[in-house]
Amino acid sequence: MPPHPKPSAPLIPDQRQHEIVELLRASVALSVRELTETMNVSHMTVRRDIAALEEAGLVESVPGGVRLIGSPRQQTPVERAPRTELETPAKQAIARAAAAHVRPGSTVFLDAGTTCEAIVERLLTISGITVVTNDFLSAMRLMAENVMAIHTGGTIDSNSGSSSGPLAAATLDALSIDVAFLSAGAWDLAHGLTTSETDKLTLKRAADQAAERTILVADSSKFGTHARFRALNLDELDLIITDGRLPEKERTRLEDSGIHLEYA
């Protein structure tokens, strides 16, 4: 990202949002962390500004960040490779915490995405498990280690390296899953776990229905944003595992609403 001077005095929302658009014109896509550091404001301030710009049709939220509407998709964090570089320490910590909820001999669902992919390495030492996933990279890693695995099939999304939709949901409907780990590009208290695609909505709901326990694994950089379609309310989840950078005010709001949280 090209160097950009931090503002010497607080900006009003319109000024901040103009600044975000200018930064995105130079860099196409930016992570929430890059924007907070460049503009010297809080994560929540940046998320509110992104939400306002998204409502105005100028930008689009992507996992861990934001891009300009109309920017070439291959240059943004929607694709798998760039997203693997976002929030890596938090994802590894969340993966360790998630694996502690898996018992030997259980059947586990892993959603698509880099956070769920990080869980794979933590599952390799747990005996007798079966892993169900819609993620091709996770499936290939499990196959290489001779772990019992089931791929859901379904409509292929080449950007995310995964599949979803009604066919994938039908596979999940035929299974009994002990714990399902769901990923999220956007989550907050008001809107719940949201997604921008109906195929992913269908798959996440099917995984929740098939599982005895459903756990959301999502780093705090994705909190406070929302997409078009609500997959689940947060209080429908058995647990949310996130990192310790979630602001104290937001922790209190979530916990007061009866949401079960674990901080990795």
Side-chain angles (χ1 to χ4, degrees):
M1 182 181 66
H4 196 93
K6 292 181 180 180
S8 57
L11 301 177
I12 65 172
D14 282 350
Q15 291 173 315
R16 286 197 313 269
Q17 290 158 24
H18 175 76
E19 186 86 352
I20 289 172
V21 171
E22 290 303 308
L23 288 167
L24 287 170
R25 283 175 178 159
S27 299
V28 179
L30 292 168
S31 70
V32 172
R33 173 176 285 183
E34 287 174 315
L35 288 171
T36 59
E37 291 176 351
T38 301
M39 301 180 68
N40 197 26
V41 294
S42 71
H43 278 234
M44 292 306 298
T45 296
V46 167
R47 291 183 190 115
R48 283 194 293 269
D49 287 338
I50 289 173
L53 289 168
E54 194 166 24
E55 184 70 22
L58 297 174
V59 305
E60 178 183 21
S61 292
V62 296
V66 63
R67 74 177 183 96
L68 281 175
I69 293 291
S71 299
R73 183 164 291 272
Q74 64 271 22
Q75 300 179 38
T76 76
V78 166
E79 284 200 359
R80 186 63 165 265
R83 286 194 289 120
T84 61
E85 304 302 321
L86 295 173
E87 308 294 339
T88 299
K91 290 174 183 176
Q92 292 298 330
I94 290 168
R96 286 193 296 271
H101 291 271
V102 178
R103 299 184 301 272
S106 58
T107 300
V108 179
F109 172 74
L110 287 182
D111 202 354
T114 54
T115 303
C116 284
E117 184 186 359
I119 298 173
V120 172
E121 294 299 319
R122 307 290 171 178
L123 298 180
L124 298 180
T125 59
I126 302 175
S127 63
I129 64 170
T130 298
V131 180
V132 183
T133 186
N134 61 319
D135 188 277
F136 289 105
L137 294 182
S138 293
M140 290 173 65
R141 181 71 177 117
L142 293 161
M143 182 175 65
E145 296 294 331
N146 293 317
V147 175
M148 178 65 71
I150 298 170
H151 195 279
T152 62
T155 304
I156 295 173
D157 177 1
S158 59
N159 280 327
S160 65
S162 67
S163 60
S164 58
L167 290 175
T171 299
L172 292 172
D173 288 342
L175 295 169
S176 177
I177 294 168
D178 295 297
V179 57
F181 293 107
L182 299 185
S183 61
W187 63 290
D188 68 8
L189 184 56
H191 302 90
L193 167 56
T194 55
T195 179
S196 59
E197 299 174 34
T198 55
D199 277 357
K200 292 180 180 179
L201 169 81
T202 301
L203 181 110
K204 290 180 191 295
R205 287 181 174 175
D208 176 61
Q209 288 296 312
E212 182 179 341
R213 298 185 72 214
T214 302
I215 299 176
L216 174 65
V217 288
D219 65 70
S220 61
S221 71
K222 297 166 186 172
F223 180 78
T225 62
H226 66 275
R228 188 176 299 113
F229 302 111
R230 187 198 312 267
L232 294 166
N233 293 319
L234 296 189
D235 59 8
E236 295 178 88
L237 299 161
D238 294 288
L239 180 67
I240 298 172
I241 303 177
T242 188
D243 60 84
R245 292 175 303 165
L246 195 67
E248 188 63 36
K249 180 180 177 181
E250 300 306 324
R251 295 189 189 197
T252 301
R253 289 180 62 231
L254 288 163
E255 291 165 1
D256 287 349
S257 298
I259 310 299
H260 299 289
L261 293 130
E262 181 178 334
Y263 303 102

